[in-house]
Amino acid sequence: MKNTHPQASAQTLAGRITEWLTFDNMHHQWLLLAACFWVIFMFMVASKFITLTFKDPDAYSAKQEFLFLTAMPDAGKLPRQKHFPEELKPTGKVLSDGRLVQPLVYMERLELIRNVCRDEALKNLSHTAVSKFVLDRIFVCDKHKILFCQTPKVGNTQWKKVLIVLNGAFPSIEEIPENVVHDHEKNGLPRLSSFSDAEIQKRLKTYFKFFIVRDPFERLISAFKDKFVHNPRFEPWYRHEIAPGIIRKYRRNRTETRGIQFEDFVRYLGDPNHRWLDLQFGDHIIHWVTYVELCAPCEITYSVIGHHETLEDDAPYILQEAGIAHLVSYPTIPPGITVYNKTKVERYFLGISKRDIRRLYARFEGDFKLFGYQKPDFLLN
């Protein structure tokens, strides 16, 4: 008995040690397993976070831009945002037809005007007095507090129709006779010049003000075609009085018997001494003088500048900003009619001397710079 007891004790002790080691092993394994699960869990969380944050930076950027263009956050939250006066900030609302436009485009147009107006080198080309000639170009809608500066050959007939309806002269654009639109005794459109000085200043400070521009050279081509070639409204004085005056002074080939040519027209407009003929022609020159001379954009703070080339977006945006989109619509724009036609411009200027084209550009440079139109190097060089 004495010999078997130590052996039994040893076996019992070995069993306990084995049991303890097994238990300890399992404990470590459970700890290790738990640690592995914890690491996997943390990795999944981190991975999810990384995916949410960096998965599609372009989409995030696009979403951010969309919010900026529609919500227009405060300037303090956007350190890179350019500063614009409160009175000029567009609302950025969705247009009545459901399309979204980018108010930043219109704000940049206004800022460009302010920058060019401050350029001393362009002062003679960008500034003009707010004279009766300018005030005669601005039509008034007191009922809705709107001022519209007329820039002929840029779709102004349609804007006049919009204002005629707003002023209550006709119930709809379709019912306005064509011969009434430009008859200022019948169309019910008062000019700003018809008010007293105090009333003029009040309207200039408080009313919504806009006008439309297009590429300056393309506008001149349109004016030439409309007044000296086709003349759809039968205005005989352009061919019988104005054209002969231009031909007498500016035609180089005196034996040429054809009617006025575009080259004659260009030479007249580019002449630094054109004003003595302008005085003879009177208000008929509104169809080809500069936007600066018509609307004084450096002296009058306009709310919106529309571009003929983007009129499909600009027209509904202007109506929305003026608060009249629910009252009237801009007439349907035929497809392609507002697109800049470089081929047409090249064709009309073909054969005209570089000297004459450069002189023409020198006169209209202010319009090109103020409204962001590219210098026509393809004609000048």
Side-chain angles (χ1 to χ4, degrees):
M1 294 293 291
K2 291 182 181 178
N3 292 333
T4 57
H5 182 72
Q7 185 178 358
S9 297
Q11 288 177 347
T12 302
L13 180 61
R16 289 179 179 176
I17 290 172
T18 302
E19 187 179 37
W20 179 82
L21 287 173
T22 302
F23 175 79
D24 189 63
N25 245 354
M26 290 178 64
H27 181 70
H28 280 309
Q29 286 174 357
W30 279 110
L31 286 175
L32 184 60
L33 189 61
C36 287
F37 275 117
W38 176 254
V39 170
I40 292 170
F41 174 76
M42 291 303 294
F43 178 80
M44 290 174 64
V45 171
S47 175
K48 188 69 175 175
F49 177 78
I50 291 168
T51 301
L52 288 171
T53 310
F54 301 109
K55 182 178 180 180
D56 192 357
D58 293 333
Y60 177 73
S61 176
K63 184 178 181 182
Q64 210 176 30
E65 182 180 357
F66 174 80
L67 290 172
F68 169 72
L69 294 176
T70 55
M72 295 301 294
D74 294 337
K77 298 179 181 178
L78 293 168
R80 292 187 181 181
Q81 183 181 348
K82 297 171 181 175
H83 173 72
F84 298 94
E86 194 67 33
E87 67 202 78
L88 297 178
K89 286 188 178 180
T91 62
K93 296 178 181 177
V94 178
L95 298 182
S96 57
D97 61 2
R99 285 180 300 135
L100 270 174
V101 292
Q102 299 183 0
L104 188 60
V105 170
Y106 304 99
M107 295 166 73
E108 286 176 342
R109 289 176 185 175
L110 297 175
E111 187 187 32
L112 175 62
I113 290 173
R114 288 193 292 274
N115 289 338
V116 174
C117 289
R118 287 193 290 263
D119 189 340
E120 288 295 324
L122 293 171
K123 190 171 183 178
N124 291 337
L125 296 170
S126 60
H127 289 262
T128 191
V130 184
S131 61
K132 185 179 183 300
F133 181 81
V134 172
L135 297 175
D136 278 344
R137 310 282 76 80
I138 300 176
F139 295 101
V140 181
C141 175
D142 276 330
K143 185 176 181 180
H144 299 282
K145 296 186 176 182
I146 297 171
L147 299 180
F148 166 62
C149 184
Q150 177 187 21
T151 50
K153 315 323 307 167
V154 192
N156 281 258
T157 298
Q158 306 304 332
W159 284 110
K160 279 187 176 181
K161 290 178 180 179
V162 168
L163 293 181
I164 288 169
V165 170
L166 289 174
N167 278 348
F170 288 87
S172 70
I173 286 174
E174 292 72 26
E175 296 179 56
I176 305 173
E178 286 298 321
N179 64 328
V180 169
V181 178
H182 300 288
D183 187 335
H184 299 297
E185 293 182 359
K186 298 179 181 178
N187 64 18
L189 290 180
R191 299 172 189 259
L192 191 55
S193 58
S194 65
F195 296 89
S196 69
D197 289 346
E199 290 173 325
I200 289 170
Q201 291 305 316
K202 176 185 175 183
R203 286 165 175 78
L204 285 174
K205 288 180 181 177
T206 60
Y207 280 22
F208 178 87
K209 302 171 287 294
F210 77 100
F211 66 95
I212 314 296
V213 296
R214 73 188 294 188
D215 177 86
F217 279 6
E218 196 171 37
R219 172 175 170 254
L220 295 180
I221 292 171
S222 178
F224 178 79
K225 287 169 59 181
D226 186 59
K227 300 306 175 188
F228 299 111
V229 181
H230 303 306
N231 205 256
R233 283 192 289 273
F234 188 67
E235 300 162 312
W237 50 86
Y238 286 100
R239 288 184 184 174
H240 301 319
E241 298 175 23
I242 295 176
I246 293 173
I247 291 171
R248 279 193 300 270
K249 182 167 177 60
Y250 295 103
R251 178 156 294 178
R252 286 175 178 165
N253 184 359
R254 298 295 179 179
T255 62
E256 175 64 66
T257 57
R258 289 184 301 170
I260 188 170
Q261 302 297 299
F262 190 63
E263 182 180 9
D264 306 321
F265 189 55
V266 166
R267 201 170 291 123
Y268 150 57
L269 294 178
D271 183 2
N273 300 312
H274 62 84
R275 295 195 183 280
W276 77 273
L277 266 188
D278 289 351
L279 291 173
Q280 296 179 43
F281 299 157
D283 279 359
H284 300 309
I285 65 173
I286 65 171
H287 298 281
W288 51 77
V289 297
T290 65
Y291 300 127
V292 171
E293 295 169 279
L294 290 169
C295 298
C298 287
E299 285 67 38
I300 297 173
T301 305
Y302 286 90
S303 312
V304 177
I305 304 297
H307 281 226
H308 186 257
E309 295 82 0
T310 54
L311 196 58
E312 289 184 355
D313 289 329
D314 293 4
Y317 179 80
I318 289 169
L319 297 178
Q320 189 84 14
E321 289 297 299
I324 54 174
H326 62 294
L327 300 173
V328 65
S329 297
Y330 189 84
T332 302
I333 302 169
I337 197 172
T338 64
V339 177
Y340 173 71
N341 191 334
K342 182 180 178 182
T343 303
K344 178 180 70 176
V345 174
E346 288 177 319
R347 185 173 73 249
Y348 266 84
F349 281 92
L350 185 66
I352 299 178
S353 73
K354 298 297 182 186
R355 171 184 175 272
D356 289 337
I357 299 175
R358 287 172 187 145
R359 289 177 68 165
L360 181 69
Y361 177 75
R363 178 178 176 188
F364 286 85
E365 183 180 7
D367 282 358
F368 277 94
K369 295 275 181 74
L370 280 163
F371 305 108
Y373 286 102
Q374 189 172 358
K375 183 178 180 181
D377 288 321
F378 64 96
L379 298 175
L380 299 170
N381 300 326

